[in-house]
Amino acid sequence: MALWWKERSQREQWLLGLMGGLLLVVLLWLGAWRPAVAARQDAMARHGAAVLALGQVRAMAGEIKAAEARGGAAQGLPLIELVTQRAQAAGLTMERLESPGDGVVEARIGAVRPAVLLGWLAGLEGNDAIIIDRLSISRNADASVAVNLTLRRGAR
């Protein structure tokens, strides 16, 4: 190799050295720099997604603790009282609310907006573990609905 190098003129040696240096720079750029930058960008994207997921989990954990605290405090109440409290908190007026026994409540609401009704029912199921056994909804002349329902306490 040394003999081959000495056979080259000084100008050829200079050009070959320059070509070798450029080749080294290109190989370092393609083989090390670009993969490192791509890995860093990927890591930053994964980190951002993990931070979002952590925030969502923390928010859900707070909601779960709050729901358990609300539900835990209400577990000692009879079902009819719990349903009455939740209905009053939601601004619902019950036309009929009675408990035939065995942890069952039958109720009738004469007029309620559907969105309010569904939100109230979702709260009963999600926060208080109350199960809707029977639900009958009929449309009123205005934009409200009339509701007949039977509720029972679910397992916590």
Side-chain angles (χ1 to χ4, degrees):
M1 181 82 169
L3 179 61
W4 178 83
W5 184 257
K6 288 190 188 247
E7 289 178 353
R8 304 288 153 234
S9 68
Q10 188 174 13
R11 181 172 176 237
E12 286 176 333
Q13 289 176 356
W14 174 257
L15 288 174
L16 287 171
L18 182 64
M19 182 185 70
L22 288 175
L23 181 62
L24 181 65
V25 167
V26 168
L27 288 176
L28 284 175
W29 181 64
L30 290 175
W33 183 260
R34 282 183 52 187
V37 168
R40 182 174 187 271
Q41 289 174 342
D42 184 48
M44 288 174 62
R46 285 185 286 125
H47 177 264
V51 167
L52 284 175
L54 177 63
Q56 290 172 341
V57 167
R58 285 184 176 164
M60 283 190 264
E63 290 174 10
I64 289 170
K65 286 181 183 179
E68 286 175 348
R70 286 190 307 268
Q75 284 299 312
L77 291 176
L79 182 59
I80 195 164
E81 289 180 29
L82 179 59
V83 171
T84 301
Q85 283 182 2
R86 298 300 188 244
Q88 288 172 349
L92 300 177
T93 303
M94 299 284 186
E95 284 185 357
R96 181 178 60 90
L97 184 65
E98 51 190 49
S99 181
D102 295 339
V104 175
V105 170
E106 293 177 352
R108 172 162 173 72
I109 304 170
V112 62
R113 289 190 343 253
V116 173
L117 172 69
L118 295 176
W120 178 66
L121 292 174
L124 289 177
E125 284 187 330
N127 298 335
D128 299 312
I130 294 175
I131 296 173
I132 302 167
D133 269 343
R134 187 182 58 81
L135 177 65
S136 171
I137 301 175
S138 57
R139 187 181 316 189
N140 291 333
D142 56 0
S144 67
V145 294
V147 181
N148 288 307
L149 63 134
T150 304
L151 305 169
R152 68 178 168 86
R153 209 180 277 276
R156 262 221 184 267

